[in-house]
Every structure is written in structure tokens, then in C-alpha cells.
Amino acid sequence: MASIQPHRVRPGRGTELLLLVPALGIGIAGYVLAGLGVTDQVPPHAVAYAVGTTVLALVVHVVLRLRAPYADPVILPVVVALNGLGLGMISRISLAYAERGRADSGFADRQLAWTAISVALAVGVLLLLRDHRTLRRYTYTAMVAALALIVLPLLPVIGQTVNGARIWVRVGPVGMQPAEFAKIALAVFFAGYLVTHRDTLALAGKKVLGLQLPRARDLGPILLVWGVSLLVLVGQRDLGTSLLFFGLFVAMLYLATERTSWVVIGLLLFVGGAIAAATTFSHVGARFDVWLRALDQDVYGREVGGSYQVVQGLFGMANGGLFGTGWGQGRPDLVPYAESDFIIASIGEELGLTGLLAVLLLYTVLAERGMRTAIGVRDGFGKLLAGGLSFVVAFQLFVVVGGVTRIIPLTGLTTPFLAYGGSSLVANWIIAALLLRISDEARRPVPVVRAVPTPDIGVPVAVAGRAEGADGPVRSSARTAPDDPGPRPDDRPTEHIGGDDR
């Protein structure tokens, strides 16, 4: 007879500490090799850089040991490795700009400062958020916050237009992209909304041509998000953010309902809106021209909205070949915004196709561990939140790499953890902290439950920490209906705005 052996879940902090060694080594080696390749000498602050990045990683590791001991042991090393690679490449491009006498060559130090701020905020999330289900209380608050962040760049005075896209907010010397934080708030709202209405969205409605169509009142939220996405596309001239927001909602709808019809409906709505915008608005049409006719002379030679950036990025990756030119041996600085929008092309040139595939593999591992967390966590809200956050990182990477390689039209999104930009780095470290918090709950072993002896005849009950009676079956005197399925988890939100409480 087969027997079931109990599986002991190990916290995994030792594994995490072991994986942090090569993760830190990748970033430190990149920083040193970039200095050697550009200036033929080790950077003067190499030791301070190595100590600083190591301390930051160890601080997060210690906090996880104390506050989230069962958190996934792979997420932190992968994030540290990606952040380190980004710092190394940004430092390399900064040195190249300095050699050319450009005044804007000091962004490497700023990115290092933003890394410290991002890690501090991630630690704050781990310390203050003891249970991810607390976020569910703020379902509709998150929706309001997300919509406010989305429209913030459209306001006068504080809204700023950069490179034709109005996605920046600047107050004095401090600037940020609110959309980076809006995607986290939207993930919280979608998870809270969908966990309540998933049965209605999955089962209600009629079937047309094999597609399960929702009822009109259930279609309202997706139409609202579709409208807001198009507002972003039109008002802010930002195709990437619009695509990211709408893709996040459709993906979380599919996770909640497992209905392919929602994916089809979502794709039809977005493709229709994008085509209409491309034919109506010139700045959107210019992006499609660059995508379809990048090598045409009239498109390449445009002073504004041309394909020069895309073509130079493609030439740089072609120059890198299979193994790359080596750190500091290429010319990624010839590509406009090589440290931010086109950092993938910079990595492809100096690390080659092999290095670029390794970077993409790291992102694949990060997304896989996030989805694994979504499968393992025991509550519906946590499943949807972890799945949505993992998807948004993977989808943002696809949009960026797809634009750089001309698979899809170019967008203004940044590569998570790699690209220069404080808003992006802070938001993605917060996403990593949320995934770590949820994974702690997902991997934490369930308390042992054993029977409690009671003096009366009744239905057996089980309570943690009590031994089974020695005189046969243990019963309870409580009267329970024969068809009572027992206690059910409460998947209702604690915050409501009108409507029935179902």
C-alpha cells in the first residue's frame, strides 16, 4: 500500500544568500569591465560601489529572514542581477558621454541613488505590509488613485511633454512618470474587483459563435478601462502605457474567468481603437510608419518622428553579433536614449545575442516565480494580484523588446530594473516586494490540524494542536446539516461603493 509522506517546506533563505553571490558578482563585474573598456582603468569608486550594492542586497535579505522567512528564494537574486546589469550598462554609457564632452553624463550616479531609494521603499513595503490581503480593503481607493495618476500629466503647470509624449509630472526639481505607479494601483483594483465578480463574468451572458459574451452591465468596467486607455493614447501620445494598462486588465480577466472570449474581445477593442487612432492622429500614425517603413529614406531622414533611433539600434545589435563587442568596446552611445528606452539595444551590442538571451532568461525566471506564487497562494485576491504583477513585468518587457526589434511599433516604456529612470526603478522594486510578501504566504506551511476529543456524540471536528482521542472516533455534539459543506473562505471585499453585497 502506498503511503503519503509529509513534505517539509524549507524557508530557503540559505539558498537565497547563495544565489546573491553570483547576482552581485554580475553587476560588480559589469561596472568594473565597463570602466576598463572605456578608460583602460578600474573605476576609482569600484570598491565603494561593490560594498554599497552588497549592503543593499543584504539588507533586503535580512528583512526577509525576519519578516518573510518563507518568501521565494529566487526573486530577490534575479532582481539584484538585473538591477546590477542595468547599473553597469548605464555607467558605461555615462562614461562614453563624458568622453564626448556631453553635459548630461552624470545620470549613472543618479541611478545609483535611485537604486538605494528603491531598495529602502521595498524594505518599507515588507515591514509595513504584514499580510497582502490588507490591500483588498482599498480596492476602490486603488481605482481612484490609479485614475488620478493616469490623468495627472494632463494637468497644466505640473504636466510636462518630453519627446512628444505628455507622461511626466514635475514639481520643482523632482520629476516622475505617474503611470509607473498607476499600474500597481490598477493591479490591486483589478484583483479586488475580479475576485468578487468572477462568477458573473465567467458564467452570465449568451454564447455567440462559440464566444461567451458578458451581459451589458458586466461589460461596463472593461469599457471604462478601454476608454481610459484610449484617453492615455490620445491625450498623452503614449502608445506603450495605453497598451500596458489594457493588456493588464485583459490578462487579469482571463486569470479570473479562464474565458478565452475575454481575450478575443479585449484584442478586438484595442486593435480597433489603435487603428482608429493611427488614422486620426498624426503622432500615432508616425509610430506606425517607423514600424512598417523604418529603412525608407524619407522616414529615416525625418527631423521629428523619424526612424533614426530604431535603425541605429538595429545596427548596434547587428554589430554585436553572437557574443558582443565586449563591455566598453561598442558604440551604444550613438543611439539616442541608449541608457533608457534603448538599453536593450546597448546590451545586445556589447554582450551580443548570447548576453541578451541570458537577460531575457532572467526575466523569464522572474515571471515564472511570480506565476508560481500565484498558483501556490491560498486566497483568490492573492492569486490575481501575484498573477497580474508578474504579467505586467513580462508584458512590459515584451512591449519594449518588441519595439526595439520592430516586432511591434516602438513605445516609450522602460525596461524593468535595467533602464535609467527613478520612477520605473522604484515601481518595479515595489512590485518585487509585493511578490515576495505574497510568496511568503504561498510557501508557508499549513498548521498541523488534529482532532479534539469531546464528551458527546456528534460530528468530528478538528482543532490545531490537540491530540486525537484514544477511544475510537472523536465526535462533537454540534448539530450540523448533512449537506453543509463546512466553512467557506470569505472572498468578498471589505470596501464597497454601492451595489449589492454578494
Side-chain angles (χ1 to χ4, degrees):
M1 178 182 295
S3 60
I4 299 176
Q5 298 293 332
H7 176 67
R8 181 170 176 259
V9 180
R10 297 181 178 180
R13 302 279 65 82
T15 302
E16 180 182 80
L17 185 61
L18 186 64
L19 290 175
L20 281 175
V21 175
L24 288 166
I26 289 173
I28 296 170
Y31 180 79
V32 173
L33 290 174
L36 286 172
V38 177
T39 64
D40 291 328
Q41 60 184 359
V42 177
H45 305 295
V47 174
Y49 174 85
V51 172
T53 54
T54 302
V55 168
L56 290 175
L58 291 179
V59 166
V60 183
H61 172 73
V62 171
V63 171
L64 289 175
R65 277 187 178 271
L66 298 176
R67 293 299 180 91
Y70 288 94
D72 192 290
V74 179
I75 292 178
L76 178 60
V78 170
V79 169
V80 168
L82 289 172
N83 199 166
L85 277 170
L87 285 171
M89 182 53 67
I90 291 170
S91 174
R92 180 262 177 276
I93 298 172
S94 178
L95 291 173
Y97 285 177
E99 282 198 335
R100 292 169 55 183
R102 291 183 50 168
D104 57 343
S105 60
F107 48 78
D109 294 336
R110 292 195 295 271
Q111 186 72 355
L112 185 58
W114 277 115
T115 298
I117 295 172
S118 302
V119 171
L121 291 175
V123 168
V125 170
L126 291 170
L127 292 176
L128 297 176
L129 185 65
R130 303 301 298 272
D131 190 336
H132 66 274
R133 288 168 291 191
T134 305
L135 295 174
R136 195 173 173 200
R137 301 175 186 173
Y138 308 102
T139 295
Y140 293 99
T141 303
M143 178 193 70
V144 174
L147 294 178
L149 288 169
I150 289 172
V151 302
L152 204 58
L154 298 177
L155 298 179
V157 182
I158 62 173
Q160 300 289 319
T161 300
V162 179
N163 299 324
R166 194 176 179 85
I167 58 176
W168 284 87
V169 170
R170 182 169 296 277
V171 179
V174 180
M176 72 168 187
Q177 294 184 24
E180 291 290 342
F181 303 98
K183 66 185 180 184
I184 302 176
L186 281 175
V188 173
F189 163 65
F190 291 156
Y193 175 83
L194 293 173
V195 80
T196 306
H197 301 281
R198 56 187 171 188
D199 291 338
T200 303
L201 293 169
L203 302 176
K206 299 179 181 179
K207 278 193 174 183
V208 177
L209 299 178
L211 295 179
Q212 183 80 36
L213 298 180
R215 297 178 300 184
R217 66 175 180 267
D218 300 325
L219 192 60
I222 192 172
L223 291 177
L224 174 63
V225 176
W226 179 61
V228 172
S229 299
L230 290 183
L231 174 65
V232 172
L233 174 62
V234 175
Q236 300 182 6
R237 302 188 174 191
D238 188 8
L239 179 64
T241 302
S242 174
L243 179 61
L244 183 66
F245 287 166
F246 196 74
L248 171 64
F249 187 43
V250 173
M252 294 187 70
L253 266 174
Y254 178 73
L255 289 176
T257 63
E258 299 182 9
R259 293 288 183 181
T260 310
S261 57
W262 282 107
V263 179
V264 176
I265 293 171
L267 288 175
L268 290 176
L269 284 173
F270 188 84
V271 170
I275 292 175
T279 56
T280 306
F281 303 101
S282 59
H283 61 277
V284 180
R287 291 291 181 96
F288 278 82
D289 282 344
V290 170
W291 175 42
L292 298 173
R293 303 189 297 121
L295 297 178
D296 288 4
Q297 185 61 40
D298 59 328
V299 178
Y300 179 82
R302 288 178 188 168
E303 292 186 5
V304 179
S307 61
Y308 175 81
Q309 185 184 31
V310 175
V311 172
Q312 288 299 317
L314 293 174
F315 287 166
M317 288 187 289
N319 183 46
L322 186 60
F323 298 107
T325 60
W327 283 97
Q329 300 299 311
R331 290 301 307 272
D333 52 294
L334 296 178
V335 183
Y337 300 100
E339 74 281 1
S340 54
D341 293 2
F342 270 69
I343 196 168
I344 284 293
S346 303
I347 291 175
E349 179 176 359
E350 300 211 331
L351 300 185
L353 178 62
T354 304
L356 187 56
L357 288 178
V359 171
L360 297 180
L361 184 60
L362 286 175
Y363 281 107
T364 304
V365 172
L366 179 60
E368 185 274 334
R369 302 305 290 194
M371 291 297 180
R372 185 186 183 96
T373 296
I375 293 173
V377 74
R378 301 174 184 89
D379 65 289
F381 175 77
K383 288 180 181 294
L384 289 177
L385 183 58
L389 293 175
S390 303
F391 172 82
V392 80
V393 172
F395 190 60
Q396 185 166 341
L397 176 72
F398 166 75
V399 172
V400 172
V401 177
V404 171
T405 56
R406 287 185 63 203
I407 295 176
I408 60 175
L410 182 66
T411 66
L413 294 178
T414 56
T415 312
F417 301 108
L418 280 179
Y420 171 73
S423 302
S424 174
L425 194 60
V426 169
N428 285 293
W429 266 99
I430 291 175
I431 289 176
L434 290 173
L435 289 176
L436 287 168
R437 171 54 65 199
I438 300 172
S439 67
D440 176 62
E441 178 65 26
R443 299 180 70 249
R444 188 178 295 274
V446 180
V448 178
V449 178
R450 286 174 288 185
V452 178
T454 57
D456 300 321
I457 302 297
V459 179
V461 297
V463 175
R466 299 293 300 275
E468 182 178 352
D471 298 329
V474 180
R475 303 303 240 178
S476 167
S477 59
R479 294 182 177 271
T480 307
D483 56 346
D484 184 11
R488 291 180 291 274
D490 182 11
D491 248 351
R492 297 175 299 171
T494 56
E495 182 188 27
H496 297 277
I497 297 182
D500 57 345
D501 184 11
R502 295 180 55 196

